[in-house]
Amino acid sequence: MKYRTLGADPATRREVSVLALGAMLFGSLTDEKTSFAILDRFVEAGGTFVDTSDNYAFWVDGGQGGQSEELLGRWRRSRGIGDEIVIATKLGARPLAPGTGYTDNPEGLSAKVIRESAERSRERLGVERLDLLYAHIDDHTVPQRETVEGFAALVAEGTVGLLGVSNQAVWRVERARALAAAAGLPGYEVLQYQHSHLRPRFDVPSDLFPDGSLGHAGPELLGYLRAEPALTLVAYSPLLAGAYVRPDKPLPADYDHPGTPARLAVLREVAGETGATVNQVVLAWQLGGEAPIVPLAGASSVAQLEENLAAVHLELTADQRARLDSAH
């Protein structure tokens, strides 16, 4: 395994594995025995970065979520896991009532919600401090200063370490970080957005965000990342839920454009040259680039995890990387 550091403050920064394990469906679609086996193998391979959320997986049973955090809590206790494993979670998008969702009835990002939701996440996970806590979605009904101060208060109390943000417009992220900096408060240091080798269209709604494609790491966000070297991008859905390799998993509608075939073709070419799978080439491309990117890949079996782990040590040549970058 290889590692990188998240955060700048010595008091909160953490060294994590360069590959993060997504636990979104653990405890729901992925049963406990399989989930534990995947987690055990990830740790055995040197993985130290696991990602979840307080609302996973509310859509599976029409509830409010929490299954993933609860499973991770049981796994931690059964294995004697301490703070050597960094578990990131999120708040803000948990439905307030069963049968609703994050688009119509989210918990939001008020100071009250931040405090109470973080406390419930700590209880479910069985930890005294959340290593990394994200604002999962935006909340335009609450002043940003209140949100910034709400997160910072938990850092000051020691119940949260690093702060992150997901699925928000870049200008909103920058405004929140500027408010924090002006007040001498900790701000967002980790950005979590969907990012893969294929490029989505930004003029059509995405599958996850029907009201706009804010979930994607587009050119503006990637430029922001280059301008702010202290930030790290955690790239979720790098393998597009299997759509690169599975005929039964069509590409999302926002990838239906003339540039997609050329980028798929070069992925297959490089996979043939390296003897790797297309999925491994996608992960290696993210891992070895100039931008600080941590791929966040889920797995529903140990075999899928093994494929992802092998990508950590896949070295692409400069020529292969240039071809992958320039295809359009």
Side-chain angles (χ1 to χ4, degrees), residues 102-103 136-138 166-168 193-194 204-216 236 254:
Y102 65 86
T103 57
H136 200 171
I137 58 174
D138 209 343
S166 182
N167 306 320
Q168 295 190 16
Y193 290 77
Q194 185 175 357
V204 296
S206 70
D207 286 358
L208 287 176
F209 296 92
D211 296 329
S213 298
L214 291 180
H216 289 300
Y236 72 78
D254 43 336

Side-chain angles (χ1 to χ4, degrees), residues 85-97:
I85 303 300
V86 173
I87 297 181
T89 193
K90 315 174 193 72
L91 58 78
R94 182 178 168 90
L96 289 174

Side-chain angles (χ1 to χ4, degrees), residues 71-137:
L71 181 138
L72 288 171
R74 293 192 295 274
W75 172 72
R76 289 185 70 260
R77 289 189 293 273
S78 69
R79 303 303 194 256
I81 297 293
D83 61 4
E84 70 273 15
I85 303 300
V86 173
I87 297 181
T89 193
K90 315 174 193 72
L91 58 78
R94 182 178 168 90
L96 289 174
T100 61
Y102 65 86
T103 57
D104 60 333
N105 195 28
E107 61 186 350
L109 296 175
S110 69
K112 181 175 185 291
V113 164
I114 290 169
R115 177 169 295 279
E116 293 177 354
S117 293
E119 181 177 355
R120 286 192 291 267
S121 287
R122 288 192 293 113
E123 291 173 355
R124 285 189 288 264
L125 290 166
V127 298
E128 294 184 1
R129 183 170 87 160
L130 300 172
D131 300 308
L132 168 57
L133 180 63
Y134 292 95
H136 200 171
I137 58 174

Side-chain angles (χ1 to χ4, degrees), residues 15-274:
E15 184 180 75
V16 298
S17 53
V18 295
L19 182 69
L21 175 63
M24 182 171 68
L25 299 179
F26 289 179
S28 54
L29 292 183
T30 305
D31 64 60
E32 185 153 319
K33 180 180 179 181
T34 303
S35 300
F36 277 31
I38 292 168
L39 287 160
D40 289 344
R41 175 58 188 136
F42 183 65
V43 172
E44 180 185 46
T48 63
F49 195 11
V50 180
D51 182 271
T52 185
S53 175
D54 70 347
N55 72 336
Y56 294 159
F58 75 87
W59 58 92
V60 172
D61 63 0
Q64 293 173 277
Q67 301 100 306
S68 177
E69 288 183 331
E70 289 167 354
L71 181 138
L72 288 171
R74 293 192 295 274
W75 172 72
R76 289 185 70 260
R77 289 189 293 273
S78 69
R79 303 303 194 256
I81 297 293
D83 61 4
E84 70 273 15
I85 303 300
V86 173
I87 297 181
T89 193
K90 315 174 193 72
L91 58 78
R94 182 178 168 90
L96 289 174
T100 61
Y102 65 86
T103 57
D104 60 333
N105 195 28
E107 61 186 350
L109 296 175
S110 69
K112 181 175 185 291
V113 164
I114 290 169
R115 177 169 295 279
E116 293 177 354
S117 293
E119 181 177 355
R120 286 192 291 267
S121 287
R122 288 192 293 113
E123 291 173 355
R124 285 189 288 264
L125 290 166
V127 298
E128 294 184 1
R129 183 170 87 160
L130 300 172
D131 300 308
L132 168 57
L133 180 63
Y134 292 95
H136 200 171
I137 58 174
D138 209 343
D139 183 357
H140 291 267
T141 70
V142 173
Q144 275 194 297
R145 183 176 299 277
E146 178 180 340
T147 298
V148 167
E149 292 175 350
F151 278 113
L154 300 185
V155 176
E157 294 167 9
T159 56
V160 171
L162 290 164
L163 298 176
V165 62
S166 182
N167 306 320
Q168 295 190 16
V170 176
W171 71 268
R172 291 278 289 178
V173 175
E174 173 58 17
R175 177 177 288 179
R177 295 183 68 241
L179 286 169
L185 299 174
Y188 302 135
E189 295 185 85
V190 186
L191 313 181
Q192 186 174 139
Y193 290 77
Q194 185 175 357
H195 180 57
S196 189
H197 183 256
L198 292 185
R199 295 168 175 161
R201 290 176 58 178
F202 287 87
D203 59 339
V204 296
S206 70
D207 286 358
L208 287 176
F209 296 92
D211 296 329
S213 298
L214 291 180
H216 289 300
E220 184 180 17
L221 190 141
L222 293 172
Y224 183 53
L225 195 69
R226 287 191 291 270
E228 297 287 344
L231 299 177
T232 301
L233 173 64
V234 173
Y236 72 78
S237 295
L239 305 179
L240 302 179
Y244 280 107
V245 295
R246 290 178 54 179
D248 63 320
K249 291 276 189 177
L251 287 169
D254 43 336
Y255 291 91
D256 184 11
H257 60 82
T260 292
R263 287 182 81 79
L264 283 174
V266 74
L267 279 172
R268 292 170 183 142
E269 290 172 4
V270 173
E273 294 163 7
T274 59

